[in-house]
Amino acid sequence: MTERPYVLLSCAASIDGYIDDTTSERLLLSNDEDFDRVDEVRAGCDAILVGANTIRRDNPRLLVRTEERRKARVAHGLPESPIKVTFTARGDLDPGAKFFTAGGVEKIVYCSSSAVAGCRERLGDVATVVDAGDPVDLNTVLADLADRGVQRLMVEGGGTVHTQFLTAGLADELQLVIAPFFVGDSAAPRFVGTGRFPHHPGNRMTLEETRPIGDVILARYLLAPS
């Protein structure tokens, strides 16, 4: 196996498996206590990855929120927040998105070979653009991150990205938070899509922890190789 970081998938979903609804407003699936837990997990990682669609739809900052955790990272010789990572087939991301403008941390965009030239022209001033094959190869992404010193990668979605990591057998841990309500809209995005998953009824994940956090539940699974 190619050397790669430890990959931790983090997701919050409704009780019927949706990670958003179809409105223009962001759907809050978690609560303040769990947001703080996620911030702690972020602070313990070397890089955070989201898909290009998440950047377009949610415009996330992807920074460590609390001053104490930022200071603790700096005291250990680390940047205030982890490296920000995304991958894209088309390279048509907005250089003004918060992913690129928020925080003085490194940003890396893994792009399909056919779109690299245009992506570098668009984003080269705000991020490092890396050719990751055509289509983008997650093994190439992870190997390159390992070469850059990333030992622990947090993947925060969205659903297509989670599906790709899980079906490829490239996730080591899943932290899934379940919100106490239903979305009930089949047009809304789900935690994962259709695919052939290594973990199925004959190869179950290992439940490492369950914990109530206010009105949500955290289930933490370890994903042993199939």
Side-chain angles (χ1 to χ4, degrees), residues 120-152:
R120 285 181 176 150
E121 183 176 352
R122 176 185 289 265
L123 302 175
D125 291 338
V126 294
T128 299
V129 177
V130 179
D131 186 338
D134 207 350
V136 171
D137 179 16
L138 289 184
N139 284 292
T140 298
V141 171
L142 294 178
D144 186 75
L145 288 172
D147 287 343
R148 296 172 188 273
V150 173
Q151 298 180 13
R152 190 172 179 88

Side-chain angles (χ1 to χ4, degrees), residues 29-64:
L29 290 149
S30 195
N31 54 42
D32 289 343
E33 187 179 353
D34 185 58
F35 286 139
D36 187 66
R37 179 196 64 83
V38 171
D39 193 58
E40 183 178 20
V41 175
R42 279 184 180 179
C45 293
D46 301 304
I48 303 170
L49 183 149
V50 295
N53 283 335
T54 296
I55 295 174
R56 296 185 191 103
R57 180 178 175 87
D58 297 339
N59 199 21
R61 292 165 52 87
L62 298 181
L63 301 174
V64 174

Side-chain angles (χ1 to χ4, degrees), residues 61-127:
R61 292 165 52 87
L62 298 181
L63 301 174
V64 174
R65 297 166 61 191
T66 59
E67 183 178 2
E68 295 80 4
R69 291 180 183 129
R70 293 196 299 269
K71 286 181 176 179
R73 285 179 57 88
V74 172
H76 285 88
L78 300 171
E80 286 189 342
S81 292
I83 298 168
K84 294 193 275 189
V85 181
T86 190
F87 60 89
T88 172
R90 305 190 305 269
D92 57 345
L93 289 165
D94 179 3
K98 292 177 183 177
F99 177 93
F100 300 109
T101 62
V105 299
E106 186 177 2
K107 295 96 178 176
I108 305 174
V109 177
Y110 292 96
C111 187
S112 62
S113 302
S114 59
V116 162
C119 189
R120 285 181 176 150
E121 183 176 352
R122 176 185 289 265
L123 302 175
D125 291 338
V126 294

